[in-house]
Amino acid sequence: MSRRVVVVGAGFHGCSAALRLSNQGYEVTVIDKAYAGRHASGVNAGGVRRLGRHPAEIPLAIAAWERWQNMTSIVGDDCGFRPVGQIKVAESDNDMAILTERERQVHNLGFHHEKLINRDELRKRLPALAGHCPGGLACDGDGFANPYRTVTAWRREAERQGACFREGIEITGIEPKGNGWRLSGGEEHFDADLLVNCAGAWAGELCKWLGEPVPLTAEAPMLMITERLSPFLGTVVGATSRPLSFKQFENGTVLIGGGVRGVVDTVRHVAETRLDGLSENADTVVSLFPFMKEARIMRTWAGVEAVMQDHIPVIGLSSQHDNVIHAFGFSAHGYQLGPITGEIVADLAMEREPKLPITPFSIQRFQTPCPE
Amino acid sequence: MITHDLVILGTGPAGMAAATMALEHGITPVVIDEQPAAGGQIYRALERTPVRDRQILGEDYWSGESLIKGLKDPQIDYRPATTVWQLTRQREIGLLHDDKAEMICARHIILATGAMERPMPIPGWTLPGVMTAGSGQILLKSAGAVPQAPVVLAGCGPLLLLLATQYLRAGVEIAAILDTTPRDRYRAALKHVPGALRNASTLLKGVGLLRELRRAGVRHIKGVSALRAEGSGQLERVLWKQQGDDNWQTLETPTLLLHQGVIPNTQITRAVDCHHEWDEQQLAWKPRLDEWLGTDIPGIAVAGDGGGIVGAKAAGMQGQLAGLGAALALGKLTLENSTQRAQPIRKALARDTAIRPFLDVLYRPAKQWRLPDDDTLACRCEEVTGGEVRRMAEMGCRGPNQTKSFTRCGMGPCQGRMCGITVSELLADANQQSVEETGYYRLRPPFKPITLGQLAKAAEEG
Amino acid sequence: MFKRLSPPEATNEAVVTFRFDEQTVTARPGDTVAAALLTSGISICRSTPVSNAPRAPYCMMGVCFECLVEVDGNPNVQACQVEVRDGMHVHTQQGARRLIS
């Protein structure tokens, strides 16, 4: 017998959960207050990155990376994935020491996807880079994809598997009903045997209603994009001790992001860009690629992201209810993990042991009582 | 960052009148304009036009002289050749002048950024040699430049007829006016004539233009229902069909000037996310304004065509109102005084704009001029066709922000200015939903491209 | 193609001279680069980065960004928004701009 599931939030993780749950025969309704991919999932920098992950996320990122390789067979679209590699550049000897230590740490955990490269190798891979950089940490096979296109592809595949998407409905209330839940939104009610919280920056609200508040803040990483430039960069470039993500698309435009924060307007549910932050970003770019000072910025924007206090997501069962699953708070680096979220949620729904280690992401980590 | 009482953007009639009115009430405004010379598009290059025969451009053009004189009051901080690349809801303004970026702040802002011509996406509209009627007029005003060979003017609206008569007076040969006003439109507009008579002088001016063209024997082809521009690498000929006739007719010409009326230039009001609504009468987006022309953002007002098309004279009156609104907001006038002062202006404004319903109905652009066919470019910059936008709708894109990831439509150098309204209307049509529901591009700064170098410096100095 | 009602040379006015690609162009002070090009028999100012299609000034008021040219080494300048200066070097712009060779 199929069970009714309501997924709150039609971002990448919500779509991923919807697809995998529909696959398993659940009757899935996804509810979004705007539209699929409106916020973080649709407007992020599109980095597909295992490089520099929190140790707890590495197994998930590697599993997700395998899904990215086979994107077309999963959702019928490659989602614009280009495995051009990513390099975190060291701007000083101190940076180089940090990267060396990072490589050692990752190796000790038994992973070998991050490789230290020296000055010559860096020069070979990034001929356009300023001369002062002593090396970097590279991750071959990482790359970028097209965020909104990704969400759309997953959403459409979920729909083909039977999931129903309801956009423009804001959930305003939730109450227990029988063994499940009744959600109210607009003029409607939605009954569910199982509730999946993929509400991103708005997930904290749901948690509050469910009696398990979490330290989540909405943040707005800013991005800017240039005019079309003739090709000079294949790899995605990051910096070590300042926020930066820098990549050139096939159409010649260059996307600059990496975490400098804008302002979240919680009333209008939008993110605003902030000049000083963008300037800081511009400064980083110009010091790494001096010729970029002549490049024209065409647009800037910011997306609303859920950031947890400890910068790793909440993935797992509710601590209060056995019919609620959480997957939110990816802290501005969840895009790459999207393909794996649905599989984990489906495992949890079917009461199977997830095939990936998710204990570090339990919501219970915020509930440890303080020592007296 | 320096904070000014009042910053006005634009020096068309609305901006200039607002500045003068504000000054009258003890406010010394900063007036920013992208053009090197004052006057906006309507009074473009008035102080230095090489067209000295005043009859060519006509008395309405020269009537801008007094407004410009008002703007040049030494107390007004007028800054020409200055581009605005950012405006925040906290009224911080990013400026670019002589390659230098700068931030200023304002207690009150009046946006007088005027109108732009409605895009008219016909086959071949990107060919060199195809321009707009407005551009023809700008060339005439600013450089005394006119088409070398017999020109074809196509479309409808007052500006098209005005340009035709200005050309006529300047001795320019007009090969034909291809008038796209549908024939039944005249009858539909008739019922608005009594109202329009409240502004009889403008109505008569229009009649006068038509008579002048007729007397000169200009070939005026009415009821044009299809139009295309052709040529290899450059315009060579114009083809058209007339209502009731299925045959293409042809004229050889190197210059085609298109016009389908004007629409508010909402680039900046959109970027600060003022509330906008779709005006079904004018088939255009406009910001929602209160009685002092204030937007829903405190301290930001819009005067003139940028808030809905009203024409030059009414734009000046709105500028005065916005100037009073600024005086009220800045505590220079009491509500009572400003209301009293505004009363005769509001009256005159109502009289002047009484002609709008008539013009809006008569020159309402037909669907084929607004919705490009499948093979015609909607987005000129990124070369996205009408058909591609329709396919986006089939894929499930309900609004223009969703199409961007698939086609780059609206993401080129013009930042969506040229295709914005077309894409909204195309998606609304394909999805059978209202334009209001379909929405518009979410715009973000910079309003004009700024280099990374300029941006990096802006923060240092801000 | 456009002509002037009264050419500056004919009226003994001061003129501005600048280079457009390999050509010398004469203009009236205060002209925009776009107006100067259009009145000098130059009708194409760039090719698009998408299909290499030729483009020319279209709106003359800073909206359409069709008249992008390179001015004194600065690419993507709106020719309709910049006034001519003596000795200026203007170049057509082909496709996407190049920042490094």
Side-chain angles (χ1 to χ4, degrees):
Chain A
M1 196 193 89
S2 87
R3 288 207 298 162
R4 293 166 305 170
V5 184
V6 167
V7 179
V8 180
F12 192 4
H13 301 289
C15 292
S16 176
L19 170 55
R20 297 306 183 183
L21 289 166
S22 302
N23 266 337
Q24 298 297 334
Y26 289 87
E27 188 187 306
V28 182
T29 305
V30 187
I31 301 173
D32 196 282
K33 64 172 179 45
Y35 59 81
R38 164 66 184 87
H39 288 289
S41 299
V43 298
N44 66 71
V48 175
R49 170 178 69 80
R50 291 164 296 168
L51 179 64
R53 289 266 165 194
H54 185 284
E57 288 182 347
I58 294 176
L60 275 64
I62 289 172
W65 182 75
E66 285 158 12
R67 311 298 184 274
W68 279 101
Q69 310 300 310
N70 301 310
M71 208 47 128
T72 311
S73 65
I74 303 170
V75 292
D77 184 358
D78 70 6
C79 301
F81 177 51
R82 300 290 178 267
V84 295
Q86 293 217 4
I87 299 176
K88 199 185 267 274
V89 166
E91 296 181 76
S92 61
D93 291 339
N94 190 42
D95 278 1
M96 204 56 195
I98 294 170
L99 295 181
T100 310
E101 171 57 22
R102 165 75 189 180
E103 190 202 33
R104 199 188 55 77
Q105 190 194 6
V106 173
H107 278 210
N108 287 349
L109 291 168
F111 301 108
H112 303 279
H113 54 285
E114 300 186 10
K115 290 187 186 68
L116 206 62
I117 56 174
N118 64 20
R119 186 183 293 269
D120 291 345
E121 178 65 16
L122 184 66
R123 198 72 52 246
K124 217 165 80 195
R125 293 187 182 208
L126 298 173
L129 187 71
H132 67 277
C133 301
L137 193 60
C139 188
D140 297 334
D142 278 3
F144 63 82
N146 181 331
Y148 187 73
R149 187 172 143 191
T150 308
V151 178
T152 305
W154 280 73
R155 176 236 172 105
R156 284 164 70 85
E157 187 56 32
E159 284 177 319
R160 278 192 286 269
Q161 303 290 330
C164 168
F165 281 73
R166 299 293 310 277
E167 299 175 295
I169 296 173
E170 185 171 359
I171 298 299
T172 48
I174 175 167
E175 53 189 8
K177 192 196 171 206
N179 290 325
W181 298 98
R182 163 162 279 200
L183 289 84
S184 321
E187 308 281 279
E188 290 178 76
H189 298 292
F190 302 89
D191 290 334
D193 304 313
L194 176 69
L195 176 64
V196 180
N197 177 11
C198 293
W202 291 268
E205 225 27 51
L206 232 53
C207 290
K208 233 185 272 167
W209 293 341
L210 293 166
E212 45 186 342
V214 288
L216 177 156
T217 48
E219 293 189 4
M222 296 189 286
L223 294 163
M224 47 188 168
I225 195 155
T226 69
E227 63 197 315
R228 290 176 188 253
L229 302 169
S230 63
F232 67 90
L233 181 70
T235 311
V236 179
V237 175
T240 305
S241 40
R242 332 190 239 184
L244 177 72
S245 157
F246 185 76
K247 60 174 84 66
Q248 185 175 31
F249 295 110
E250 287 146 341
N251 62 39
T253 58
V254 175
L255 182 69
I256 302 162
V260 181
R261 301 296 198 244
V263 182
V264 178
D265 183 330
T266 44
V267 179
R268 289 159 54 240
H269 292 315
V270 293
E272 304 247 19
T273 54
R274 203 167 44 85
L275 172 78
D276 45 345
L278 288 173
S279 291
E280 190 186 317
N281 231 194
D283 209 49
T284 308
V285 169
V286 170
S287 64
L288 287 177
F289 298 94
F291 61 88
M292 282 296 290
K293 75 173 195 299
E294 295 298 331
R296 278 177 173 69
I297 297 299
M298 302 303 300
R299 282 175 301 123
T300 65
W301 70 95
V304 183
E305 299 259 8
V307 176
M308 305 309 298
Q309 205 171 49
D310 52 7
H311 292 269
I312 56 171
V314 172
I315 308 171
L317 286 168
S318 157
S319 61
Q320 307 293 315
H321 314 278
D322 58 7
N323 52 5
V324 175
I325 298 170
H326 295 295
F328 65 83
F330 287 81
S331 307
H333 49 260
Y335 176 60
Q336 190 264 1
L337 299 175
I340 207 70
T341 307
E343 294 180 34
I344 296 171
V345 170
D347 282 341
L348 293 170
M350 293 189 300
E351 295 171 22
R352 291 194 305 221
E353 182 64 28
K355 43 189 167 293
L356 291 160
I358 58 164
T359 319
F361 309 115
S362 166
I363 196 165
Q364 287 182 30
R365 70 185 192 268
F366 301 115
Q367 293 157 358
T368 319
C370 297
E372 287 297 311
Chain B
M1 204 185 312
I2 302 168
T3 299
H4 301 273
D5 276 338
L6 174 64
V7 173
I8 298 168
L9 306 187
T11 64
M16 293 193 290
T20 311
M21 182 61 91
L23 189 61
E24 213 180 285
H25 293 92
I27 304 164
T28 51
V30 177
V31 182
I32 310 289
D33 192 42
E34 187 169 32
Q35 302 293 334
Q41 301 309 330
I42 195 87
Y43 306 128
R44 176 106 175 211
L46 192 138
E47 295 164 290
R48 54 186 191 188
T49 176
V51 184
R52 298 324 301 182
D53 176 351
R54 291 171 79 101
Q55 208 216 315
I56 292 179
L57 292 169
E59 57 174 305
D60 279 350
Y61 176 70
W62 294 103
S63 73
E65 276 175 319
S66 61
L67 278 170
I68 292 181
K69 204 164 147 247
L71 176 72
K72 295 297 173 66
D73 188 297
Q75 290 186 80
I76 295 177
D77 182 359
Y78 164 51
R79 304 190 195 178
T82 304
T83 299
V84 173
W85 59 272
Q86 187 188 36
L87 171 64
T88 68
R89 295 169 74 90
Q90 292 72 41
R91 298 183 303 279
E92 300 149 311
I93 307 165
L95 303 175
L96 199 56
H97 175 72
D98 267 352
D99 207 37
K100 219 180 130 246
E102 181 195 357
M103 294 294 291
I104 61 171
C105 196
R107 294 191 177 87
H108 196 86
I109 292 175
I110 298 172
L111 301 173
T113 49
M116 57 175 269
E117 287 174 277
R118 181 189 298 278
M120 188 177 166
I122 58 160
W125 73 310
T126 52
L127 280 174
V130 181
M131 298 175 75
T132 68
S135 73
Q137 200 185 41
I138 288 167
L139 278 164
L140 174 61
K141 289 171 181 170
S142 61
V146 295
Q148 210 160 24
V151 60
V152 174
L153 306 178
C156 66
L159 177 61
L160 194 75
L161 298 176
L162 176 62
L163 178 67
T165 47
Q166 288 170 333
Y167 274 170
L168 200 62
R169 294 171 199 158
V172 176
E173 206 178 320
I174 299 171
I177 299 173
L178 303 177
D179 196 325
T180 60
T181 315
R183 289 193 167 119
D184 59 0
R185 218 38 88 54
Y186 295 96
R187 207 173 323 121
L190 217 55
K191 71 167 190 275
H192 296 286
V193 168
L197 282 172
R198 290 181 66 201
N199 183 355
S201 66
T202 304
L203 200 60
L204 286 174
K205 260 180 222 158
V207 175
L209 295 181
L210 282 167
R211 191 186 305 135
E212 198 175 334
L213 292 172
R214 197 165 51 240
R215 279 200 186 138
V218 174
R219 189 175 175 200
H220 191 154
I221 297 164
K222 304 218 172 133
V224 168
S225 58
L227 186 67
R228 52 191 310 125
E230 287 185 358
S232 71
Q234 199 151 335
L235 177 72
E236 289 162 16
R237 73 199 76 84
V238 178
L239 295 91
W240 73 93
K241 281 184 192 176
Q242 260 176 299
Q243 274 175 291
D245 181 355
D246 217 29
N247 297 310
W248 287 101
Q249 300 177 64
T250 310
L251 257 176
E252 303 285 319
T253 180
T255 315
L256 168 65
L257 302 181
L258 300 173
H259 186 69
Q260 208 58 243
V262 294
I263 56 176
N265 184 346
T266 57
Q267 201 75 4
I268 293 181
T269 47
R270 278 284 176 190
V272 282
D273 201 14
C274 292
H275 182 87
H276 284 70
E277 48 204 9
W278 176 253
D279 183 335
E280 188 55 33
Q281 184 76 31
Q282 297 199 335
L283 292 171
W285 293 104
K286 60 182 193 188
R288 184 191 287 164
L289 303 177
D290 64 23
E291 60 173 333
W292 295 104
L293 305 174
T295 65
D296 61 336
I297 303 174
I300 299 183
V302 178
D305 281 346
I309 301 304
V310 289
K313 216 168 146 195
M317 298 174 200
Q318 285 193 347
Q320 293 179 324
L321 281 182
L324 288 173
L328 174 64
L330 294 168
K332 306 282 184 184
L333 276 180
T334 63
L335 179 61
E336 199 189 346
N337 286 341
S338 54
T339 304
Q340 202 174 18
R341 190 67 215 279
Q343 205 204 3
I345 304 170
R346 291 187 196 280
K347 233 169 142 178
L349 185 61
R351 205 178 313 120
D352 193 81
T353 51
I355 196 167
R356 279 291 133 192
F358 170 75
L359 292 176
D360 291 342
V361 169
L362 182 61
Y363 295 126
R364 184 185 173 86
K367 221 170 176 178
Q368 71 266 37
W369 312 119
R370 307 189 331 260
L371 305 181
D373 59 34
D374 281 355
D375 299 325
T376 300
L377 293 185
C379 169
R380 298 172 61 107
C381 297
E382 295 293 324
E383 301 184 52
V384 180
T385 63
E388 282 170 87
V389 176
R390 290 186 181 95
R391 270 198 296 285
M392 295 300 104
E394 276 165 31
M395 272 181 56
C397 292
R398 311 291 289 176
N401 294 303
Q402 297 156 43
T403 57
K404 287 195 279 192
S405 301
F406 300 96
T407 62
R408 285 190 50 80
C409 192
M411 295 166 90
C414 90
Q415 300 171 297
R417 287 170 171 86
M418 291 299 291
C419 66
I421 193 169
T422 310
V423 172
S424 286
E425 283 211 82
L426 274 171
L427 288 174
D429 188 63
N431 285 322
Q432 299 192 312
Q433 60 188 8
S434 69
V435 182
E436 191 88 48
E437 280 173 272
T438 307
Y440 194 77
Y441 291 135
R442 229 174 4 251
L443 300 179
R444 292 281 185 268
F447 310 151
K448 289 252 168 160
I450 175 175
T451 65
L452 276 171
Q454 288 163 339
L455 184 60
K457 257 200 223 142
E460 281 166 32
E461 282 149 32
Chain C
M1 219 52 58
F2 287 77
K3 64 179 181 194
R4 292 180 196 269
L5 291 172
S6 52
E9 301 86 346
T11 50
N12 273 338
E13 282 176 75
V15 293
V16 172
T17 309
F18 68 97
R19 301 282 297 168
F20 178 74
D21 290 343
E22 300 312 310
Q23 195 175 334
T24 302
V25 177
T26 307
R28 179 183 273 117
D31 278 347
T32 62
V33 170
L37 296 181
L38 288 168
T39 50
S40 306
I42 296 155
S43 58
I44 292 164
C45 61
R46 69 171 182 125
S47 66
T48 64
V50 181
S51 73
N52 244 354
R55 291 288 169 88
Y58 179 74
C59 78
M60 292 298 288
M61 57 178 280
V63 172
C64 75
F65 287 72
E66 290 290 10
C67 62
L68 299 177
V69 288
E70 193 185 300
V71 175
D72 293 334
N74 274 324
N76 279 356
V77 175
Q78 290 181 281
C80 75
Q81 299 290 299
V82 171
E83 288 188 25
V84 291
R85 284 187 311 269
D86 252 323
M88 197 178 220
H89 275 76
V90 180
H91 285 280
T92 43
Q93 202 167 286
Q94 310 293 335
R97 59 180 289 206
R98 196 171 295 276
L99 287 179
I100 44 167
S101 44

